[in-house]
Amino acid sequence: MSAPVVDVASAIQSASINPHPSPAHDLNPSTAASTKKPVSPATSIPSDAESIPESALKPVPRRANLPPLPDMRFEQSYLASLEGAESWWRIAWITTRDQVALPLLQGMLWTLLLSGWRHWNRGAQLQGATLGSKVRRWWWDVNNWKIPDETQKAVEEKVGEVSRSFLKVE
């Protein structure tokens, strides 16, 4: 049994459909886009020659500065590597290599790179000799903020203090 709301909507929709449409009455009125006329310079919009700059009439053609973008889709390289496979073992190896091993290796190397960068950058933030470090130190001096001394010895002392207070060892 169907819902009454669906029955009402179906009745309204079927009642509004015209079974015998009239082309004279039911077609859209014609517009400027309905008629196609070829454009030629002689029949174009008349205007004064001085009102249109010559750069608009004869634009400089664009030159291709960059080579076309390479096709970087995974499917193309995967199918190309499958082309030389002789057995289903070779297909399984290529699939495992391309879809499991290489993405895992790429993710691991990328994470190691970012972790190393973060570790190096943490030490170079305030002790560095770059312009950004000098501006940061100047800003901290202007605001009378204490520049943190996060050397290895300071970190070890903080860890020792926290562990002693946690274990209540004197």
Side-chain angles (χ1 to χ4, degrees), residues 159-170:
V159 170
E161 290 173 15
V162 170
S163 62
R164 279 191 296 275
S165 66
F166 180 73
L167 297 173
K168 296 182 183 174
V169 175
E170 295 180 13

Side-chain angles (χ1 to χ4, degrees), residues 35-93:
T35 58
K36 297 180 181 179
K37 297 179 184 175
V39 177
S40 67
T43 60
S44 65
I45 301 171
S47 65
D48 298 334
E50 294 82 24
S51 66
I52 301 173
E54 189 168 330
S55 62
L57 295 174
K58 298 177 184 175
V60 178
R62 293 185 182 185
R63 33 181 197 141
N65 293 336
L66 300 173
L69 292 174
D71 187 10
M72 299 297 285
R73 293 179 291 181
F74 173 77
E75 179 186 9
Q76 300 299 322
S77 63
Y78 177 66
L79 291 177
S81 63
L82 282 181
E83 201 170 334
E86 310 82 37
S87 65
W88 68 273
W89 280 104
R90 181 79 174 140
I91 293 173
W93 165 248

